[in-house]
């Protein structure tokens, strides 16, 4: 906390604008893409560097919770998300929005493929 006055004084204003612009763009891309996946319920962040996404496990045949979801997603698609039960939000995953937008778009496509493969009745 003691560093905050120096950070606000010495870091160029442009840095803050670029960071917020990036977070907004990444948030829009991820929210839009995940909203199209039937078992996903993204929550649009209001200034955070991450997004929480609820998962409807009733629609998934073989994944039982957020830990299982993130473990299998990483193994099959090389996409790393955090199980939000680590933060007292079971049934949700946490997506960090700091990667370049192109990488976020790729991650959303991989999550979509993953979810569709694991949907009940598929």
């Amino acid at each position: 906390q003691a560093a905050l006055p120096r950070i606000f004084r010495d870091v160029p204003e442009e840095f803050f604008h670029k960071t917020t612009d990036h977070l907004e763009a990444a948030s829009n891309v991820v929210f839009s893409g995940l909203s199209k996946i039937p078992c996903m319920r993204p929550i649009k962040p209001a200034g955070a560097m991450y997004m929480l996404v609820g998962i409807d496990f009733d629609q998934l045949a073989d994944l039982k919770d957020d830990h299982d979801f993130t473990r299998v997603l990483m193994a099959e698609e090389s996409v790393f998300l955090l199980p939000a039960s680590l933060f007292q939000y079971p049934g949700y995953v946490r997506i960090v929005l700091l990667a370049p937008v192109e990488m976020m778009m790729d991650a959303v496509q991989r999550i979509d493929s993953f979810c569709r493969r694991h949907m009940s009745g598929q």
Side-chain angles (χ1 to χ4, degrees):
Q1 291 176 347
L4 284 177
R6 183 173 172 209
I7 290 169
F8 286 123
R9 183 185 66 236
D10 296 344
V11 174
E13 186 83 18
E14 180 183 347
F15 171 80
F16 299 109
H17 291 298
K18 282 184 175 182
T19 300
T20 56
D21 288 349
H22 169 77
L23 290 172
E24 183 176 9
S27 172
N28 289 338
V29 164
V30 172
F31 183 84
S32 174
L34 295 182
S35 293
K36 296 173 185 166
I37 304 171
C39 64
M40 305 294 279
R41 297 183 317 273
I43 300 170
K44 193 142 191 195
M49 292 186 211
Y50 60 87
M51 179 181 293
L52 285 175
V53 181
I55 302 168
D56 182 357
F57 288 100
D58 291 337
Q59 295 187 44
L60 299 172
D62 57 349
L63 301 169
K64 64 184 187 320
D65 60 25
D66 53 330
H67 284 270
D68 199 29
F69 184 94
T70 56
R71 181 183 54 76
V72 178
L73 176 65
M74 181 64 184
E76 291 184 11
E77 293 290 342
S78 299
V79 174
F80 180 72
L81 307 179
L82 285 169
S85 58
L86 297 172
F87 308 99
Q88 306 306 313
Y89 285 95
Y92 287 78
V93 293
R94 182 172 160 165
I95 300 175
V96 177
L97 301 169
L98 297 175
V101 172
E102 296 77 21
M103 289 179 76
M104 299 304 299
M105 291 168 63
D106 181 56
V108 167
Q109 290 173 348
R110 290 172 185 232
I111 294 167
D112 182 46
S113 296
F114 174 80
C115 288
R116 292 187 192 282
R117 270 197 320 276
H118 289 274
M119 296 286 271
S120 299
Q122 299 298 319

